[in-house]
């Protein structure tokens, strides 16, 4: 990512509506697919950024580790007192085979040029019976400033991501859905207006204030209840939960 983006990321990750709801979603998925005592569930946050989620999962009792390619991000996380953070070389995870019960790759593989290698690495370190939780941005036609400052290589369609998983690994989808669906119309309009009027902002995080943060959080958070019952056919992002059964 561009160095300036990390400063924005660090200051918004804790309170921004997007990150807060995504953390709620991850908490539900872990309880859903890996029920039991948290202290027996070893987790890797692959592409952890500053490690805020790592710290939150550690507080919840999960033995959690974070890897990120950015020394700047890892250094910031360590200064926050978060343990088990380390810098990865290229896209390599660097842990032993079958080490983790869960691997989180949250808006990560779109940053990696060789996304097949990233998926193989996730499969390699995952224990049989474990899960990988992957989120990625959806639809190349939604490409915008956020993708540029985040240095994305691509956005995905759900069927495209499933095909990539089948070609790269033996992992099996156990939950697949688009999400950030309720806010989809507004985000599409915003992206289109940005392109038409060539609006220049440092990132999408600028579109926020206390009122909007609360409003967007409440709308977005409603989706978790719906995701417990069914999957969305479209959205700004994609959720894929993969199981390892060998």
């Amino acid at each position: 990512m561009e160095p300036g983006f990390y400063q924005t990321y660090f200051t918004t990750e804790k309170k921004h509506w997007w990150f807060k709801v995504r953390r709620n979603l991850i908490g539900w998925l872990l309880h859903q697919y890996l029920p039991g005592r948290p202290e027996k569930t070893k987790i890797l946050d692959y592409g952890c950024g500053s490690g805020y989620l790592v710290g939150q999962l550690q507080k919840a009792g999960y033995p959690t580790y974070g890897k990120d390619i950015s020394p700047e991000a890892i250094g910031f996380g360590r200064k926050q007192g978060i343990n088990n953070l380390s810098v990865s070389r290229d896209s390599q995870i660097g842990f032993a085979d079958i080490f983790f019960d869960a691997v989180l790759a949250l808006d990560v593989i779109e940053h990696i040029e060789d996304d097949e290698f990233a998926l193989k690495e996730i499969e390699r370190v995952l224990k049989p019976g474990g899960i990988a939780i992957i989120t990625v941005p959806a639809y190349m036609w939604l490409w915008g400033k956020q993708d540029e400052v985040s240095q994305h290589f691509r956005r995905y369609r759900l069927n495209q991501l499933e095909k990539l998983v089948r070609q790269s690994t033996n992992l099996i989808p156990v939950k697949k859905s688009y999400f950030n669906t309720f806010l989809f119309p507004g985000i599409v309009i915003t992206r289109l207006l940005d392109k038409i009027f060539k609006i220049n902002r440092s990132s999408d995080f600028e579109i926020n204030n206390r009122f909007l943060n609360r409003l967007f959080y409440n709308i977005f958070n409603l989706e978790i209840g719906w995701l417990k019952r069914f999957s969305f056919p479209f959205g700004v992002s994609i959720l894929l939960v993969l199981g390892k059964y060998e």
Side-chain angles (χ1 to χ4, degrees):
M1 294 183 183
E2 295 178 3
F5 178 80
Y6 269 116
Q7 185 61 47
T8 303
Y9 191 95
F10 296 152
T11 56
T12 58
E13 188 176 5
K14 184 175 181 179
K15 296 182 179 180
H16 192 276
W17 60 272
W18 163 257
F19 293 106
K20 289 174 67 176
V21 175
R22 194 179 68 176
R23 288 195 293 271
N24 294 345
L25 176 61
I26 298 308
W28 168 67
L29 291 169
L30 290 173
H31 284 295
Q32 175 72 16
Y33 293 103
L34 293 173
R37 297 167 63 184
E39 62 269 22
K40 294 186 177 294
T41 303
K42 193 178 296 183
I43 299 174
L44 171 68
D45 189 357
Y46 178 42
C48 65
S50 63
Y52 184 78
L53 177 59
V54 173
Q56 294 303 296
L57 290 170
Q58 289 172 349
K59 288 178 181 178
Y62 292 98
T64 308
Y65 299 75
K67 298 284 288 190
D68 197 274
I69 198 170
S70 168
E72 179 188 2
I74 294 299
F76 187 90
R78 287 172 175 168
K79 288 179 182 178
Q80 291 178 311
I82 301 170
N83 300 317
N84 300 337
L85 301 180
S86 58
V87 178
S88 61
R89 185 169 64 89
D90 298 324
S91 303
Q92 297 177 23
I93 289 178
F95 283 91
D97 296 354
I98 58 173
F99 193 79
F100 292 102
D101 300 287
V103 177
L104 313 179
L106 308 178
D107 294 279
V108 170
I109 66 170
E110 67 272 13
H111 294 271
I112 300 172
E113 187 170 10
D114 189 349
D115 48 5
E116 288 192 15
F117 176 79
L119 290 168
K120 289 175 181 176
E121 275 288 272
I122 291 170
E123 180 183 36
R124 179 183 66 79
V125 300
L126 199 58
K127 295 178 182 178
I131 61 166
I133 301 174
I134 296 172
T135 63
V136 295
Y139 306 127
M140 277 301 298
W141 57 267
L142 270 179
W143 186 273
K145 181 64 176 179
Q146 191 67 47
D147 299 286
E148 294 173 3
V149 299
S150 301
Q151 296 184 353
H152 292 170
F153 284 98
R154 67 197 74 80
R155 300 174 72 96
Y156 295 84
R157 300 183 311 276
L158 180 54
N159 60 355
Q160 176 189 12
L161 183 60
E162 287 185 272
K163 181 179 179 181
L164 180 67
V165 170
R166 287 195 304 270
Q167 291 175 340
S168 309
T169 75
N170 293 313
L171 300 175
I172 305 298
V174 296
K175 175 70 176 179
K176 54 186 180 180
S177 179
Y178 288 92
F179 70 105
N180 202 357
T181 299
F182 295 166
L183 292 170
F184 183 80
I187 292 171
V188 169
I189 291 170
T190 300
R191 290 286 173 91
L192 292 176
L193 290 175
D194 284 352
K195 291 177 181 179
I196 293 170
F197 295 104
K198 303 186 185 306
I199 297 172
N200 187 25
R201 63 173 65 91
S202 61
S203 83
D204 287 351
F205 293 141
E206 290 184 9
I207 309 174
N208 198 39
N209 57 45
R210 183 175 296 180
F211 171 77
L212 290 177
N213 200 54
R214 181 182 296 273
L215 176 65
F216 293 160
Y217 173 86
N218 288 332
I219 294 172
F220 190 18
N221 200 50
L222 287 173
E223 292 190 14
I224 296 177
W226 289 89
L227 282 168
K228 292 178 181 180
R229 297 188 289 273
F230 67 91
S231 297
F232 292 110
F234 64 90
V236 182
S237 298
I238 295 169
L239 167 68
L240 193 59
V241 183
L242 304 169
K244 185 172 183 178
Y245 298 107
E246 60 173 31

